[in-house]
């Protein structure tokens, strides 16, 4: 059933003119009235710019790329690569051909913002949506995401996950490109164990994120296989994926467990903070404490010493996601592909000296 502006007005108990004013933003409306109108728009899934039935088969030239933090190279690299495939090279004249306009939506890690952007992209009849990075493992949010993505798919929008596992309970996703975070983390910890490390601290990412869980699981699998798994909660500290978290968490780890000879960080940015904390404690890297990261971001090789890490092919994954979003490439079998992770052994890890 087509939802009309009059339906929204009736739901919000206002006139159609008031609904139009709220949506166009060209006339002052009381905040309480505006909130009622916007709530009605969401409840009824009203699509702007015309009847929903006629728009369902007519997508726009817009593609949304959702990222947690565009300032984080992990997301910036994937978004830039996807955009290069979505925007296309052009014909040198400045005219638009088959290209699409890629818009990067920065959620700041907020689940509410993620849902809001999906709603806005639906209203703009986006041709495709690319969601990057790990997902929040919260049942209520997952259910809300499934509803939003189903509505987008019903309207003809292609949906691609990049660096994110499939969403439980939905078949709306065109393709999911998931990184082998678990396998990469396991190989990284196996490398440290092979060097002789027996007490390994772990600076994990935020709780309830798929990336955090998978990397931590891989680390613990390696520790268990080597017979080294003990009070792992005591040598694991969770925090944001940023430098300050790495610094504070490493200080806390070494305070709790002075016998730790290696620190595995949730990602390379966290690892930089860990390195700074180790040095501020008067310890040497890697002679006293080895430090390892994850992702192989561009600065990793320029750290001193160069950072041992796990390489994820971020650019390649982003470019593939862009091609899938544009329909230039067929989805993988079953709509799901796992992208491998490669251990990059560098100078920040060595045999423990103590």
């Amino acid at each position: 059933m087509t939802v009309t502006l009059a339906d929204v007005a009736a739901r919000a108990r206002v006139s159609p003119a008031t609904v139009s004013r709220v949506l166009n933003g060209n006339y002052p409306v009381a905040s309480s009235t505006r909130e009622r109108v916007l709530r009605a728009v969401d409840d009824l899934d009203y699509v702007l710019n015309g009847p929903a039935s006629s728009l369902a088969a007519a997508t726009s030239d817009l593609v949304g790329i959702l990222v947690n933090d565009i300032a984080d190279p992990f997301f910036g690299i994937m978004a830039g690569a996807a955009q290069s495939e979505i925007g296309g090279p052009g014909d040198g004249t400045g005219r638009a051909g088959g290209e699409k306009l890629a818009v990067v939506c920065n959620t700041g890690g907020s689940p509410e913002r993620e849902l809001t952007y999906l709603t806005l992209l639906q209203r703009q009849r986006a041709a495709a949506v690319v969601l990057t990075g790990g997902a929040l493992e919260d049942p209520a949010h997952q259910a809300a995401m499934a509803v939003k993505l189903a509505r987008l798919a019903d309207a003809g929008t292609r949906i691609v996950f990049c660096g994110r596992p499939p969403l439980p309970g939905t078949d709306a996703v065109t393709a999911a490109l998931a990184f082998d975070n678990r396998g990469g983390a396991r190989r990284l910890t196996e490398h440290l164990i092979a060097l002789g490390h027996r007490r390994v601290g772990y600076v994990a990412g935020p709780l309830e994120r798929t990336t955090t869980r998978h990397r931590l699981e891989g680390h613990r699998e390696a520790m268990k296989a080597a017979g080294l798994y003990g009070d792992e909660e005591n040598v694991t500290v969770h925090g944001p994926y940023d430098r300050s978290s790495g610094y504070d968490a490493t200080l806390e780890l070494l305070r709790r467990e002075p016998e730790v000879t290696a620190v595995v960080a949730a990602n390379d940015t966290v690892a930089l903070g860990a390195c700074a904390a180790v040095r501020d404690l008067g310890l040497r890297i890697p002679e006293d404490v080895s430090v390892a990261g994850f992702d192989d971001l561009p600065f990793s090789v320029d750290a001193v010493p160069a950072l041992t890490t796990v390489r994820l092919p971020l650019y390649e994954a982003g470019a593939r996601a862009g091609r899938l979003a544009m329909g230039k490439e067929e989805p993988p079998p079953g709509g799901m592909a796992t992208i491998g992770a490669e251990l990059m052994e560098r100078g920040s890890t060595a045999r423990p000296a103590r």
Side-chain angles (χ1 to χ4, degrees), residues 116-260:
T116 296
Y117 277 129
L118 291 176
T119 298
L120 293 172
L121 289 166
Q122 180 194 352
R123 292 176 186 169
Q124 294 297 321
R125 300 176 292 132
V129 174
V130 178
L131 296 97
T132 64
L136 181 66
E137 295 188 306
D138 174 72
H141 181 66
Q142 288 180 336
M145 285 287 290
V147 171
K148 292 287 185 186
L149 294 178
R151 289 173 178 170
L152 280 159
D154 288 345
T157 299
R158 291 191 186 92
I159 301 163
V160 180
F161 286 177
C162 184
R164 179 181 294 215
L167 180 67
T170 180
D171 56 1
V173 179
T174 304
L177 308 177
F179 293 127
D180 185 16
N181 286 305
R182 189 180 286 104
R186 184 176 61 251
R187 287 188 287 276
L188 178 59
T189 300
E190 288 171 348
H191 161 69
L192 292 168
I193 293 170
L195 289 174
H197 293 280
R198 295 296 177 265
R199 198 65 174 148
V200 181
Y202 196 97
V203 182
L207 289 165
E208 298 184 334
R209 289 281 172 181
T210 54
T211 301
T212 299
R213 179 170 63 84
H214 293 161
R215 293 182 183 182
L216 188 54
E217 285 175 352
H219 165 72
R220 289 181 173 175
E221 284 172 8
M223 296 293 286
K224 286 178 181 177
L228 299 174
Y229 189 86
D231 56 339
E232 291 304 300
E233 292 302 325
N234 199 47
V235 287
T236 301
V237 178
H238 288 270
Y241 285 113
D242 58 34
R243 182 188 180 280
S244 62
S245 171
Y247 184 90
D248 294 339
T250 301
L251 291 179
E252 174 63 16
L253 280 173
L254 294 175
R255 182 194 66 77
R256 291 183 194 172
E257 295 289 333
E259 298 305 311
V260 161

Side-chain angles (χ1 to χ4, degrees), residues 48-135:
L48 303 182
N49 300 326
S53 59
S54 67
L55 293 178
T59 57
S60 69
D61 288 333
L62 180 70
V63 175
I65 304 174
L66 272 65
V67 301
N68 277 11
D69 182 4
I70 193 60
D72 184 336
F74 177 87
F75 294 101
I77 292 169
M78 286 192 291
Q83 190 169 28
S84 69
E85 293 288 341
I86 293 164
D91 60 6
T93 67
R95 295 191 298 266
E99 304 87 5
K100 302 290 186 184
L101 175 63
V103 176
V104 177
C105 306
N106 198 87
T107 68
S110 164
E112 294 80 11
R113 202 69 192 150
E114 186 172 58
L115 292 169
T116 296
Y117 277 129
L118 291 176
T119 298
L120 293 172
L121 289 166
Q122 180 194 352
R123 292 176 186 169
Q124 294 297 321
R125 300 176 292 132
V129 174
V130 178
L131 296 97
T132 64

Side-chain angles (χ1 to χ4, degrees), residues 5 9 13-21:
L5 187 139
R13 304 187 307 280
V14 297
S15 69
T18 299
V19 174
S20 179
R21 288 167 181 165

Side-chain angles (χ1 to χ4, degrees), residues 313-336:
L314 299 173
Y315 187 90
E316 294 86 343
R320 186 177 181 187
R323 291 192 297 272
L324 287 163
M326 291 291 286
K328 297 178 181 177
E329 181 177 321
E330 287 296 315
M336 163 71 180

